[in-house]
Amino acid sequence: MTPFRRPISTLTVALLAATLAVSACNRTGGADRAPEPGDRAVAKVQSETIWASDVKREAVAQGLIGEGEPLDVTSDLFRRVLDEVIDQKLLAKEAERRRLDDSPLAQRRLEATRERILGDMLVESVVNGAISDQAVQNLYNEQLRLAKTSEEIRVRLILSRTKTEADAVIGILGQGASFEAVAMERSVDEATRFSGGDLGYSTLDVMPQAYASALRDKPAGSTVGPFQTEGGWAVLRVEDRRKENPPTLEQARPQIVRYLTYEGVRQLLEQLRNKAKVNVLLPGDGARQGQEPASAQGASQAPDQTSNPTNTPAPAA
């Protein structure tokens, strides 16, 4: 196969340390054996084979594709990432030729990278493997059960500078004028006047307090106001009221999976910490005894953002 030639990228140089670690992990032989069933050899660097799965793994690591997404070997993205994998291997082999990997510092950095890789693989095999479709469905159903469905209100606005102007608006509307037409002609709210004052759908909890108080019990078709707001005097029309629809399972799935992953990692770390003897040799460390490990703190914070895809209280464990 014809070798690819292009300028060495900054990214390639920046990834040298990680490359050395991967290279060190791959010295065990069997380089010409497909690492995955159905894998395809896509290049050779000296005597070492690069497989399609190597390129895909690099694309996932760079965030270019998601885990589980396909990567066509004929695509431009595949060829670009393949070039980078080739460059990484060339840099690693040259570093080995210069014996840069023999220093104690290099060995410590290689071992740290190896540990990160093994930790990721443990999470993939133990935690991710436990996240089944049924587990996602169960959490989704539980959150739907706990959901407090909010009501959305669609409102139109006419904003006036003074109460006198707002009273005049009420008089014109009382004579049968179209709310949309009066909004376009008289409203001083530049963001909505040209759409007939349409504010769209929103829930009371996200509206300014003055708006929420005025609209709380008003049915569709009501004209409300005038009342004073920070921007002037408002007259509102309630166009529609409807129940807020919760997200579908497919819409909520990424957040649910993320939360289940965080929870799995947190529980795994708790088990490992309980079984291991860990002594942190820093002054004043006694005050930290019993605190959650740093790598689990992100997991404990994540439910605020991810465990609640239907905007409801998370179910009790």
Side-chain angles (χ1 to χ4, degrees), residues 122-179:
L122 177 66
V123 170
E124 290 171 6
S125 62
V126 175
V127 177
N128 293 353
I131 301 176
S132 63
D133 288 341
Q134 189 60 52
V136 173
Q137 182 73 60
N138 289 344
L139 182 55
Y140 178 77
N141 291 343
E142 180 67 8
Q143 299 218 16
L144 284 183
R145 185 181 68 81
L146 296 173
K148 295 180 180 178
T149 305
S150 301
E151 187 177 48
E152 293 181 314
I153 307 174
R154 184 183 178 188
V155 179
R156 292 185 186 272
L157 163 70
I158 299 174
L159 188 65
S160 303
R161 293 185 180 87
T162 66
K163 187 175 186 303
T164 301
E165 292 176 356
D167 288 337
V169 165
I170 290 293
I172 295 171
L173 294 174
Q175 296 173 10
S178 163
F179 195 98

Side-chain angles (χ1 to χ4, degrees), residues 106-126:
Q107 290 297 318
R108 293 290 296 176
R109 292 172 65 178
L110 290 168
E111 181 60 23
T113 303
R114 177 178 177 274
E115 289 172 354
R116 283 195 294 271
I117 293 171
L118 290 174
D120 289 344
M121 293 178 68
L122 177 66
V123 170
E124 290 171 6
S125 62
V126 175

Side-chain angles (χ1 to χ4, degrees), residues 116-279:
R116 283 195 294 271
I117 293 171
L118 290 174
D120 289 344
M121 293 178 68
L122 177 66
V123 170
E124 290 171 6
S125 62
V126 175
V127 177
N128 293 353
I131 301 176
S132 63
D133 288 341
Q134 189 60 52
V136 173
Q137 182 73 60
N138 289 344
L139 182 55
Y140 178 77
N141 291 343
E142 180 67 8
Q143 299 218 16
L144 284 183
R145 185 181 68 81
L146 296 173
K148 295 180 180 178
T149 305
S150 301
E151 187 177 48
E152 293 181 314
I153 307 174
R154 184 183 178 188
V155 179
R156 292 185 186 272
L157 163 70
I158 299 174
L159 188 65
S160 303
R161 293 185 180 87
T162 66
K163 187 175 186 303
T164 301
E165 292 176 356
D167 288 337
V169 165
I170 290 293
I172 295 171
L173 294 174
Q175 296 173 10
S178 163
F179 195 98
E180 294 94 318
V182 177
M184 294 182 69
E185 180 181 349
R186 290 180 171 258
S187 180
V188 297
D189 183 44
E190 297 297 332
T192 62
R193 61 175 297 192
F194 294 111
S195 61
D198 192 2
L199 295 174
Y201 282 97
S202 59
T203 55
L204 292 178
D205 60 313
V206 300
M207 292 183 181
Q209 185 59 49
Y211 285 63
S213 298
L215 293 169
R216 193 167 304 280
D217 299 318
K218 298 300 187 293
S222 300
T223 299
V224 183
F227 57 90
Q228 191 169 16
T229 70
E230 291 184 3
W233 287 81
V235 174
L236 304 177
R237 179 175 175 81
V238 182
E239 293 288 315
D240 187 27
R241 300 181 79 107
R242 69 183 185 186
K243 293 295 184 181
E244 184 180 22
N245 292 324
T248 65
L249 174 60
E250 289 310 307
Q251 290 171 334
R253 180 182 296 275
Q255 292 178 314
I256 293 176
V257 169
R258 193 176 306 124
Y259 169 61
L260 291 174
T261 301
Y262 282 136
E263 277 295 289
V265 171
R266 183 186 62 79
Q267 293 172 12
L268 177 60
L269 284 170
E270 283 185 355
Q271 295 170 8
L272 295 175
R273 289 247 173 178
N274 288 336
K275 291 190 294 185
K277 183 178 180 181
V278 179
N279 292 321

